[in-house]
Amino acid sequence: KELTDTMVLGSIASSKQKEVVVVGENNVSPASELFRLMRFNLKFISKGESNQVVMVTSSKQGEGKTFISINIAASLAIMGKKVVVLGFDLRAPKLMKDIGLKYTHGITDYVVDNTLDVNSIIIPYTDIDNLYFIGSGTIPPNPGELMLSDRVGELIRTLKKDFDYVILDTPPIGKVADAFSLRNYVDYTLYVVR
């Protein structure tokens, strides 16, 4: 707070819980309540507008980007918003593994294969209504160049029409430049600091 005038959306206390999804409809744990506060603040800065694209990034690995992405999405979905989380860490994907979802095709497959439809890469999360995920897909040899493809923009624009929130779980912006190539598609960036 002393270093920046940027709004601090919320603070999530560390926990010994092994669960990745800590937000639930009837869950009143401290972590769940803190995500509800973050959800309120996110709605405040977005002025209640829907069809928002939110990028989640940080300076380095291990700061909790995926954890924050999953749980802010779950918090919004529980409120009745239709939310999709995209695993944009194409170099070291962990989103789908963390939530235990299996998939065949993901972002990279969609980008390189023009015959793939957006709906073929969206996976519903059965434990929470309105919550969907898209995995990163096959690990490419050239993730930086792949992120510059027009198909990435097409994917985000298509999802924005059908979802209230599109959340991009990205690699650390301080380590690789991949997230910078997404900046033109996002309405807000959540910068995670641990």
Side-chain angles (χ1 to χ4, degrees), residues 6 14 20 66 68 72 83-84 93 142 146 152 189 193:
T6 304
S14 63
V20 175
T66 301
I68 297 290
I72 197 76
V83 186
V84 62
N142 57 344
L146 203 67
V152 171
T189 299
V193 178

Side-chain angles (χ1 to χ4, degrees), residues 74-95:
S75 182
L76 289 162
I78 287 168
M79 200 179 74
K81 299 296 182 185
K82 191 174 178 187
V83 186
V84 62
V85 182
L86 285 72
F88 260 107
D89 193 340
L90 308 183
R91 298 166 195 268
K94 60 179 265 177
L95 174 69

Side-chain angles (χ1 to χ4, degrees), residues 9-10 12 34-42 68 72:
L9 201 64
I12 307 297
L34 290 168
F35 276 108
R36 285 185 178 92
L37 176 62
M38 282 181 66
R39 176 187 68 200
F40 173 80
N41 287 336
L42 183 63
I68 297 290
I72 197 76

Side-chain angles (χ1 to χ4, degrees), residues 20-115:
V20 175
V21 182
V22 297
V23 174
E25 209 162 321
N26 299 315
N27 188 343
V28 290
S29 70
S32 186
E33 290 301 318
L34 290 168
F35 276 108
R36 285 185 178 92
L37 176 62
M38 282 181 66
R39 176 187 68 200
F40 173 80
N41 287 336
L42 183 63
K43 285 190 59 126
F44 177 77
I45 63 169
S46 68
K47 299 178 181 75
E49 293 178 25
S50 57
N51 308 99
Q52 299 290 298
V53 179
V54 180
M55 178 167 63
V56 181
T57 192
S58 73
S59 295
K60 58 185 179 180
Q61 285 182 310
E63 291 193 285
K65 293 174 295 299
T66 301
F67 178 73
I68 297 290
S69 298
I70 292 168
N71 284 287
I72 197 76
S75 182
L76 289 162
I78 287 168
M79 200 179 74
K81 299 296 182 185
K82 191 174 178 187
V83 186
V84 62
V85 182
L86 285 72
F88 260 107
D89 193 340
L90 308 183
R91 298 166 195 268
K94 60 179 265 177
L95 174 69
M96 300 303 261
K97 183 181 176 191
D98 281 3
I99 55 172
L101 289 178
K102 297 198 182 311
Y103 68 106
T104 307
H105 301 295
I107 294 168
T108 57
D109 307 294
Y110 174 84
V111 170
V112 299
D113 185 351
N114 290 334
T115 64

